[in-house]
Amino acid sequence: MAAMNDISRPAFRFAPSPNGLLHLGHARSALLNEAMARAAGGRLLLRIEDIDLARCRPEFEAAIYEDLTWLGLDWERPARRQSDHFADYGSALGRLAALGLVYASFESRGDIRRAVASRPGWPSDPDGAPVFPFAREGMSEAERARLVAAGEPYALRLDMARALAQAVESAGPLGWQEVDRATGRAERVVADPRAWGDVILARKDVPTSYHLAVVVDDARQGITHVVRGADLKPATSVHLVLQALLGLPAPLYTHHSLLLDAEGRKLSKSIGSQSLKTLRAEGATPGEVRRLAGL
Ligand code: GLU
């Protein structure tokens, strides 16, 4: 029999952020990962995405383990906790910087809002935020270096045009295999990273970003199948660029439909969607939660 962590087996992961309690949307993702891992004879890994130390809390991490255990899920121990791996993300960032693809940006959200307000029709990224409106060339490298040395807070951004050119040079036209959950059929999706503009790779207050940490971790954990909500599908384009530049393998992807509330909004911590903890306290059984989560 294959060992639990036999790396030749397909590997799936559930990757929640401990910045609130899990809701039915999380249960759906976790349970779909479990079901697909089981069907593929694969492994189920867990990753705690807690790079935002200001918003993540140990009690929410503890609640994740509690909720998943209650649901009857089993994952390989230990879970990977992102805050234990800032050095890893730092070295990936260093490699991108060495390729000449990273620059310090000092503009605040307010600066960006004001710049965009005076440019009607300025595009938004797939998350709805304005594409970064200040070109890298708008400030000389020397001026950037001076501000960094002077202790001005800055974010590090990916120079998307250059990054894409280098990525395509090394990996060819970018696209990923999107696997349909029901049929198991894979279809190539053409990546559109330009829609994101110069994304942030490290924030002023956090030494990495979701995009960078997720590609490093998927590779470190040997993830072969990423199963996550459809809201993250556009971000895959950014992930492909980073994988190509860092020489990391691209997993297969399945982006599953999202659960909506009575008003048609996607479930989210920020709108106070009912938590699994509350459902449990109100007497719901794991079987009922599976059904409510659409499994
Ligand atoms: N941490 C992300 C979330 O909770 C999921 C990231 C991913 O699956 O790539 O929405």
Side-chain angles (χ1 to χ4, degrees), residues 13-19 22 26 29 33 47-50 82 210 214-215 218 226-229 231-232 235 239 253 255 266 269:
R13 89 308 195 263
F14 175 54
S17 290
N19 56 8
L22 301 186
H26 297 106
S29 247
N33 268 287
R47 182 161 77 228
I48 303 296
E49 300 215 322
D50 64 343
Q82 290 190 320
Y210 160 66
V214 86
V215 300
D218 283 339
V226 169
V227 178
R228 61 185 176 194
D231 51 339
L232 291 169
H239 302 168
Y253 290 89
H255 293 96
K266 74 170 188 179
K269 292 163 189 164

Side-chain angles (χ1 to χ4, degrees), residues 21 24 44 55-56 74 90 100 116 149 176 209 219 222 227 244 258 266:
L21 293 170
L24 277 173
L44 180 61
R55 292 176 61 222
C56 292
D74 199 10
V116 167
W176 73 87
S209 67
V227 178
L258 302 176
K266 74 170 188 179

Side-chain angles (χ1 to χ4, degrees), residues 24-279:
L24 277 173
H26 297 106
R28 178 168 171 76
S29 247
L31 291 166
L32 286 174
N33 268 287
E34 182 202 43
M36 290 181 71
R38 181 165 297 167
R43 309 160 59 198
L44 180 61
L45 309 188
L46 179 62
R47 182 161 77 228
I48 303 296
E49 300 215 322
D50 64 343
I51 56 172
D52 190 342
L53 295 172
R55 292 176 61 222
C56 292
R57 300 221 297 265
E59 57 269 34
F60 291 135
E61 182 180 329
I64 289 171
Y65 302 134
E66 200 180 316
D67 288 341
L68 297 183
T69 303
W70 176 73
L71 277 175
L73 278 155
D74 199 10
W75 63 93
E76 288 179 21
R77 272 58 166 190
R80 181 174 169 102
R81 188 187 293 117
Q82 290 190 320
S83 60
D84 293 336
H85 299 280
F86 283 125
D88 232 2
Y89 313 133
S91 62
L93 197 50
R95 289 182 56 194
L96 297 171
L99 294 171
L101 302 176
V102 176
Y103 64 97
S105 101
F106 306 87
E107 295 82 2
S108 65
R109 281 210 194 109
D111 295 334
I112 294 173
R113 238 192 344 265
R114 279 186 294 279
V116 167
S118 65
R119 301 181 202 187
W122 187 259
S124 294
D125 72 22
D127 276 350
V131 167
F132 187 63
F134 302 102
R136 176 179 190 167
E137 288 69 32
M139 189 188 283
S140 70
E141 291 300 322
E143 179 63 359
R144 284 184 208 283
R146 190 189 67 74
L147 291 173
V148 169
E152 283 293 322
Y154 60 93
L156 290 172
R157 288 184 182 269
L158 183 68
D159 184 332
M160 185 59 88
R162 281 190 216 186
L164 189 52
Q166 283 197 31
V168 169
E169 199 172 300
S170 65
L174 298 181
W176 73 87
Q177 294 296 319
E178 178 78 24
V179 180
D180 182 86
R181 181 168 67 84
T183 64
R185 281 219 340 262
E187 192 171 86
R188 185 179 155 88
V189 178
V190 175
D192 181 21
R194 269 181 220 283
W196 289 93
D198 291 355
V199 287
I200 290 184
L201 294 179
R203 285 170 23 185
K204 288 183 180 171
D205 53 344
V206 177
T208 181
S209 67
Y210 160 66
H211 297 305
L212 184 62
V214 86
V215 300
V216 169
D217 285 344
D218 283 339
R220 290 282 180 279
Q221 291 189 288
I223 301 300
T224 56
H225 294 67
V226 169
V227 178
R228 61 185 176 194
D231 51 339
L232 291 169
K233 189 170 181 179
T236 311
S237 290
V238 178
H239 302 168
L240 257 77
V241 175
L242 297 177
Q243 285 157 356
L245 294 168
L246 294 167
L248 303 175
L252 301 172
Y253 290 89
T254 296
H255 293 96
H256 62 74
S257 59
L258 302 176
L259 294 176
L260 303 177
D261 70 8
E263 281 97 71
R265 300 173 300 181
K266 74 170 188 179
L267 303 186
S268 122
K269 292 163 189 164
S270 59
I271 59 167
S273 297
Q274 197 176 37
S275 67
L276 298 181
K277 188 175 179 160
T278 305
L279 283 165

